[in-house]
Amino acid sequence: VDRNPDSECASSDQLWVLHTLGRFEEVVSTARRATATHPDWNSVWIDLAVALRATGAPAAALAAVERAIILDPRDWFAHYVQCKLLVSFHRWNDTLAAVEAARTACGSSFDPWNLMASETAATVATLGAGAAMEVLSKALAATEKPETASVVEAADSLLSTELLLRGPVAAARALGE
């Protein structure tokens, strides 16, 4: 990064290393410097969002990831981070709207399992378990990948278990984690 401060890739790699080491405050300060000089670097905004959430600044994290989505609306990972943040705030209707926006923006690059847990959690909280089971069934039917089917089936089992043991609010929280 010192040799090439104008490299988005180098900056993102440095942030990833700091994040992996759990040095979230450094990720925040480094990402803020990078976004101040290069406000169009989508990946750095995502890194900043994840670090802000880890340091207890969820509203700022949501603003950072929304900036990333504005910069690159087709970035499925930015949508994924946004949906995970919205679920963690229990903003269920906003989560469902964000999942739909991701589907629209990402088009054929969108794989339903990427946001399945967020969509299912929000559906449990807003429409109930029956609707959530329908979401899972549709995701399972829409996939052609065996590994994706296992993820969907695991979520289906988790949802069923949480609903039986703890009720719909616990199920929504468990799927959002």
Side-chain angles (χ1 to χ4, degrees):
V1 174
D2 292 336
R3 284 189 228 149
N4 193 358
D6 291 327
S7 168
E8 181 177 4
C9 183
S11 291
S12 192
D13 287 349
Q14 178 189 28
L15 293 170
W16 179 81
V17 169
L18 291 170
H19 181 89
T20 302
L21 295 171
R23 294 164 48 183
F24 300 114
E25 293 292 340
E26 284 181 75
V27 174
V28 170
S29 62
T30 304
R32 284 184 194 234
R33 280 194 307 277
T35 58
T37 56
H38 300 284
D40 59 333
W41 284 1
N42 156 278
S43 64
V44 177
W45 284 102
I46 297 169
D47 293 327
L48 177 59
V50 172
L52 285 166
R53 178 66 172 133
T55 59
L62 190 56
V65 79
E66 287 171 350
R67 174 74 176 148
I69 291 170
I70 289 168
L71 290 169
D72 185 359
R74 294 184 50 84
D75 185 331
W76 73 266
F77 188 68
H79 288 282
Y80 172 82
V81 171
Q82 179 191 40
C83 288
K84 294 300 268 186
L85 285 168
L86 290 168
V87 165
S88 73
F89 305 146
H90 299 178
R91 289 175 50 185
W92 309 119
N93 290 325
D94 291 338
T95 302
L96 292 173
V99 168
E100 193 53 42
R103 276 194 186 100
T104 301
C106 296
S108 63
S109 67
F110 181 82
D111 196 348
W113 71 271
N114 287 329
L115 300 176
M116 182 212 32
S118 296
E119 182 177 21
T120 305
T123 303
V124 167
T126 57
L127 302 173
M133 296 300 264
E134 188 175 316
V135 166
L136 290 169
S137 295
K138 283 181 184 175
L140 186 55
T143 186
E144 297 175 9
K145 299 178 185 175
E147 66 275 13
T148 302
S150 337
V151 171
V152 174
E153 289 167 355
D156 183 32
S157 296
L158 174 63
L159 175 60
S160 300
T161 303
E162 289 296 327
L163 283 169
L164 286 172
L165 296 177
R166 299 187 189 113
V169 174
R173 284 189 185 134
L175 285 165
E177 293 173 351

